[in-house]
Amino acid sequence: MNWSALNTHINAVLDGSENADKVYVVYGVDDYLVYTALKQFRRLVDDEFAQFNFARFSQADGMAAVLETLNTVPVFDVRKVAVLTLSEKCTEAELSVLKDYLASPNEGTVLAIGCPADVAKSLGTKHCTTVNCAPLSEQELGEQIDALLKEPPARTMDAAARKELIERTQSSMARIVTETAKLKAFSDGNITYKDVTELVNADLDYRLYMLTDAVSVRDSARTVDILTAMLDAGTLPRVIINGLYDRFRKLLHVSLNKGATNDYFASYFGGSPNALYFIRRTLANYTQIRLKNSVDMLHRLQYDILSGKRQEDSAMHEAVLELININ
């Protein structure tokens, strides 16, 4: 199940229409979604007896402490819940202990394990319910924004403002929560597109993707506007060239592996798959040959800067000009 499905499932367990599973493995590249998913399991125990029936553990606490909790019966409640956060791959000894428990978990207990995707894979999930905290869809993000807007002080938001907020935050729920709170504080009623553009900072990644998009459609005027804003914000020319090379390298890789999933690309690129939204949107404007030529040109200019053959300012302007005209 995904993050949204877990929320629905927890509510169903609480109203008695579904049963809680014995083990959940919660993983994903969006740390905020993993964190909030794990918080949901606290709701499965009665508040009055939570000190006896709910426990949080980190990997540093050791598996013996986790098992000691899981092997005791609930106190005045129907279940005992333990949340274990694994920040890195387990040792052979830890993995052996965990796998033994996962193969035959105790009745009346719920174990929720939060971990990176590669750690989840090493655990094996045959006897577990998996929760993939992948980035939310645009519809799911819209529902979460609606919920945030309804919280006091209640506000409304234009459709264009909502879309701009999602794009500027690159679908990051952590940033959406923070930025929505800020927008609500500065608005008396309805949040507009202008509010978002003025109050939500466009970070370097966002500006680079917008620059990539502008050159992809050969829009010289928009390219100059974005480039000027980046330079005025203090972004160094070599940082812009390096960023463009990184984006075009990713565009080419996605183009050559069209059947791969967002999670695969996140693992390969070593970052969040949220950025795949921008890559896939821009990819339609390129042929593989144009992408290959762009990557080669940017790599050449990077080398010229590092070797002292070119000044970074002139190399950056040449790079942007060539990206617009390259075939």
Side-chain angles (χ1 to χ4, degrees):
M1 66 177 73
N2 61 15
W3 183 85
S4 297
L6 175 66
N7 294 339
T8 302
H9 170 64
I10 295 292
N11 288 331
V13 171
L14 292 174
D15 68 25
S17 59
E18 293 183 14
N19 294 321
D21 296 318
K22 296 176 184 178
V23 181
Y24 299 81
V25 176
V26 182
Y27 66 94
V29 293
D30 192 315
D31 292 339
Y32 177 86
L33 294 181
V34 173
Y35 170 75
T36 53
L38 292 175
K39 283 183 64 177
Q40 293 289 326
F41 291 97
R42 169 63 176 76
R43 299 169 59 205
L44 294 178
V45 298
D46 189 301
D47 285 341
E48 186 175 355
F49 305 106
Q51 62 178 319
F52 304 109
N53 298 316
F54 180 79
R56 281 186 170 274
F57 298 96
S58 70
Q59 194 162 356
D61 293 317
M63 297 305 154
V66 180
L67 289 181
E68 182 179 355
T69 294
L70 294 172
N71 288 327
T72 57
V73 297
V75 177
F76 303 118
D77 204 345
V78 296
R79 66 178 66 89
K80 182 181 286 285
V81 176
V83 172
L84 169 63
T85 302
L86 301 175
S87 56
E88 57 189 30
K89 286 187 176 180
C90 298
T91 64
E92 288 298 323
E94 290 173 329
L95 194 59
S96 176
V97 170
L98 264 181
K99 284 187 173 181
D100 285 345
Y101 180 81
L102 298 182
S104 183
N106 291 338
E107 295 290 340
T109 66
V110 173
L111 171 62
I113 302 173
C115 59
D118 59 335
V119 176
K121 186 177 181 180
S122 70
L123 291 174
T125 55
K126 182 178 179 181
H127 303 286
C128 310
T129 296
T130 58
V131 183
N132 184 355
C133 292
L136 302 181
S137 67
E138 190 166 343
Q139 178 181 341
E140 290 171 321
L141 289 170
E143 292 170 355
Q144 295 305 312
I145 292 172
D146 284 339
L148 293 169
L149 292 171
K150 289 177 182 177
E151 295 176 359
R155 298 287 188 264
T156 57
M157 183 182 290
D158 292 343
R162 185 188 306 263
K163 181 176 178 60
E164 186 68 14
L165 175 62
I166 291 172
E167 291 196 353
R168 284 186 176 238
T169 58
Q170 294 192 59
S171 304
S172 165
M173 269 303 300
R175 281 205 67 197
I176 285 174
V177 170
T178 302
E179 298 295 350
T180 300
K182 181 170 67 177
L183 289 164
K184 290 174 68 174
F186 281 89
S187 173
D188 292 329
N190 184 58
I191 299 169
T192 66
Y193 174 84
K194 185 172 182 290
D195 293 331
V196 175
T197 58
E198 290 181 350
L199 294 172
V200 179
N201 292 329
D203 59 20
L204 179 60
D205 277 346
Y206 177 78
R207 291 184 187 275
L208 283 168
Y209 279 111
M210 292 302 98
L211 182 60
T212 305
D213 185 66
V215 299
S216 74
V217 293
R218 308 185 197 277
D219 188 335
S220 300
R222 185 156 66 97
T223 298
V224 170
D225 287 343
I226 297 170
L227 188 60
T228 300
M230 294 177 73
L231 293 170
D232 288 346
T235 309
L236 297 174
R238 67 173 177 273
V239 172
I240 295 175
I241 290 181
N242 292 342
L244 286 171
Y245 174 74
D246 179 65
R247 269 97 194 129
F248 276 90
R249 181 181 62 85
K250 290 177 179 177
L251 278 165
L252 180 59
H253 190 75
V254 174
S255 177
L256 294 171
N257 298 274
K258 293 182 178 179
T261 65
N262 282 10
D263 283 339
Y264 161 77
F265 288 121
S267 175
Y268 182 84
F269 295 149
S272 168
N274 295 331
L276 267 294
Y277 168 83
F278 295 94
I279 289 178
R280 295 193 188 281
R281 187 178 71 175
T282 303
L283 196 58
N285 301 322
Y286 283 101
T287 63
Q288 288 182 357
I289 293 176
R290 186 183 173 195
L291 287 172
K292 178 65 166 58
N293 291 338
S294 298
V295 169
D296 289 344
M297 179 271 296
L298 288 166
H299 187 265
R300 172 177 54 80
L301 288 176
Q302 277 187 319
Y303 177 80
D304 287 349
I305 292 172
L306 291 172
S307 63
K309 292 182 180 179
R310 298 287 302 274
Q311 294 295 315
E312 62 182 70
D313 185 65
S314 65
M316 178 205 66
H317 284 93
E318 179 182 329
V320 172
L321 181 63
E322 286 202 37
L323 286 173
I324 292 175
N325 294 295
I326 204 165
N327 292 312

